[in-house]
Amino acid sequence: MTIINITLDSTMITIFLGAGYLFTFILIGAYWHDALKELPVRTFFMAKCLQSAAWFLAVVRGEIPDFLSIAVANSFMFIGAALESIALLRLRNEWQRKFRTPYLLAALFSIAGFQLVILVHNSEEWRIICGSLFLAILLAPSYRMVKGPSSLMKVMGYAYLLVVAANLIRAATASFTDTSVSLFTPGFYQLIYLVSVFILTILGIMGFLLLWKEKSNQELLQYASYDDLTGALNRRMFTSGAKPLLEQCAKKRQHLSYLLFDIDSFKDINDNYGHHTGDLVLQDVVRRIRPLLGNNDLFVRYGGDEFGILLPGRNEPESSHLAEQIKLTLETAPSHLPVPYSLSIGVLTLVPDPHTRMETLYTRCDQALYAAKRNGRNRIARSQIS
């Protein structure tokens, strides 16, 4: 391959790189019109706009003043890299207050430091060293995606680690060797670097959109599966999860217990203290009980003030102990609510068979629950399946 061809190919790749950024905000703007209202997407969109402007300014270096093609272009690139990392951190809900100040100071230092290099020692070598180091620093927080819950997020994290490593290698190469690593010096390194950046840019763009889609799907699943007031399972999700647990306990001939309870005189709480206080009571119930449950236990809010807990593998003494723990926690733990409250609890324990249905457990426990209420409320009553 001749140098002329390398130069031409590199120029075209640089243009394609800028076009890739342009494609990003056209795609986001057209397809993700509603998503642009969300701060992470809007931040990522701004990052790609600035990075696109930086690449286009770099392409026309020599045709415009160096102030624009070097100082302004690199500043845009630094700000874009910072916004990209912030968007990714927001996507993971990790843009926390304790991290914001040092990171924003690092971004300001990168911009100011690069301008200082231009003023004090304006050589291409020093610009490459400082620019590459600053980009590595600004993109480094993206590594946290490696610890993400999904395979896609992990892949994205490793891709950003690769970009960080490439910038560090570029800075080291410029510092300790005579090899030219300038994007404007024709050669094999120039071509490989631009091709790599182009590929990683497109992968990063599509990866972010897929991550946002993944996050949206998870939120939809959350809304579809959990009660939005208390965070307990809703009836549909509980029923879906209870069926395999019943089958598992029936197959292994294991005990299974079920608790059904509601809040005593909940209507009076709403009438006398208002529905907001009633909502606080419902949330308080779940907050107090959840720490007492195991990983395999299912906690459901059926509606109103009625809740249920399915306890696979728990026998009669264990389920009675949990019911007593719940009752004791409500009676002794400090509360900031303006009204005290108590629960009436129905309990059932059995070894299910293949014909056992959740509806049967609910009916039996409901009878025990009302027996507890008839006997004075704030009580535990046990039912049996004959």
Side-chain angles (χ1 to χ4, degrees):
M1 181 179 292
T2 65
I3 290 179
I4 293 176
N5 287 335
I6 290 176
T7 304
L8 177 60
D9 291 344
S10 300
T11 302
M12 290 303 297
I13 290 169
T14 306
I15 293 173
F16 287 150
L17 187 59
Y21 285 108
L22 181 63
F23 165 76
T24 301
F25 52 78
I26 290 176
L27 178 65
I28 295 176
Y31 184 71
W32 293 84
H33 181 267
D34 292 335
L36 276 172
K37 299 174 184 177
E38 301 293 337
L39 191 54
V41 179
R42 197 161 65 243
T43 305
F44 188 80
F45 179 82
M46 286 300 302
K48 293 307 172 185
C49 287
L50 288 168
Q51 290 168 355
S52 179
W55 281 109
F56 279 118
L57 288 173
V59 166
V60 294
R61 180 177 296 184
E63 305 296 328
I64 60 175
D66 286 349
F67 170 74
L68 294 175
S69 64
I70 297 177
V72 174
N74 279 279
S75 295
F76 281 179
M77 190 63 72
F78 296 148
I79 297 172
L83 290 176
E84 187 169 348
S85 289
I86 291 171
L88 292 167
L89 290 172
R90 287 188 184 279
L91 202 62
R92 281 184 50 80
N93 298 317
E94 291 184 355
W95 183 239
Q96 306 296 335
R97 185 182 299 275
K98 63 180 181 181
F99 179 74
R100 292 177 191 174
T101 299
Y103 185 78
L104 292 175
L105 287 175
L108 290 174
F109 176 80
S110 298
I111 298 169
F114 191 84
Q115 306 308 318
L116 186 62
V117 168
I118 294 175
L119 291 174
V120 175
H121 193 67
N122 189 17
S123 69
E124 187 172 50
E125 179 184 1
W126 275 99
R127 292 200 305 266
I128 290 172
I129 294 170
C130 293
S132 299
L133 287 174
F134 292 153
L135 280 176
I137 291 170
L138 294 174
L139 290 173
S142 304
Y143 87 93
R144 297 185 67 84
M145 289 193 299
V146 171
K147 302 177 181 179
S150 70
S151 298
L152 174 61
M153 192 167 286
K154 288 180 172 64
V155 169
M156 286 287 290
Y158 285 117
Y160 276 98
L161 278 177
L162 183 61
V163 173
V164 171
N167 278 284
L168 292 175
I169 292 171
R170 185 171 183 238
T173 303
S175 299
F176 302 113
T177 72
D178 295 329
T179 304
S180 175
V181 290
S182 170
L183 300 182
F184 299 92
T185 300
F188 182 72
Y189 175 85
Q190 176 201 48
L191 185 61
I192 292 299
Y193 184 83
L194 289 176
V195 169
S196 301
V197 171
F198 176 72
I199 293 173
L200 288 171
T201 296
I202 299 302
L203 288 176
I205 291 166
M206 301 311 297
F208 181 85
L209 295 180
L210 290 172
L211 282 174
W212 181 256
K213 180 64 175 175
E214 182 178 75
K215 183 175 185 292
S216 300
N217 290 341
Q218 289 172 348
E219 290 176 350
L220 288 175
L221 181 62
Q222 177 79 16
Y223 293 142
S225 304
Y226 295 89
D227 172 56
D228 57 356
L229 177 64
T230 64
L233 293 171
N234 60 28
R235 182 192 293 262
R236 185 184 65 82
M237 193 63 181
F238 174 77
T239 302
S240 176
K243 183 178 179 180
L245 291 179
L246 281 170
E247 293 173 350
Q248 178 181 328
C249 288
K251 183 178 180 180
K252 295 182 178 181
R253 301 301 296 164
Q254 290 181 334
H255 283 90
L256 178 141
S257 295
Y258 180 58
L259 275 63
L260 184 69
F261 60 89
D262 64 18
I263 300 168
D264 296 327
S265 304
F266 185 68
K267 184 178 183 301
D268 293 339
I269 294 175
N270 280 329
D271 291 343
N272 296 329
Y273 294 91
H275 287 277
H276 175 66
T277 298
D279 289 345
L280 293 178
V281 169
L282 294 172
Q283 292 171 336
D284 192 62
V285 168
V286 175
R287 180 183 64 81
R288 290 170 183 260
I289 293 177
R290 196 184 296 280
L292 304 177
L293 304 181
N295 292 332
N296 295 324
D297 301 336
L298 299 184
F299 191 6
V300 58
R301 180 189 178 198
Y302 284 109
D305 63 322
E306 187 177 49
F307 295 84
I309 304 174
L310 190 66
L311 306 166
R314 305 272 195 113
N315 57 28
E316 186 168 321
E318 290 170 332
S319 59
S320 294
H321 177 67
L322 176 62
E324 291 290 349
Q325 274 188 302
I326 292 172
K327 184 172 177 292
L328 183 64
T329 296
L330 296 182
E331 292 173 347
T332 60
S335 172
H336 301 292
L337 297 177
V339 55
Y341 66 92
S342 62
L343 304 179
S344 293
I345 306 174
V347 187
L348 173 68
T349 299
L350 77 162
V351 177
D353 60 43
H355 304 291
T356 303
R357 295 291 178 265
M358 196 64 228
E359 292 82 1
T360 305
L361 273 63
Y362 179 89
T363 300
R364 292 291 187 179
C365 250
D366 191 48
Q367 294 170 356
L369 169 61
Y370 277 93
K373 287 190 175 296
R374 286 194 303 271
N375 290 329
R377 297 190 176 92
N378 191 24
R379 295 176 185 275
I380 300 168
R382 181 170 286 276
S383 179
Q384 301 290 336
I385 290 185
S386 56

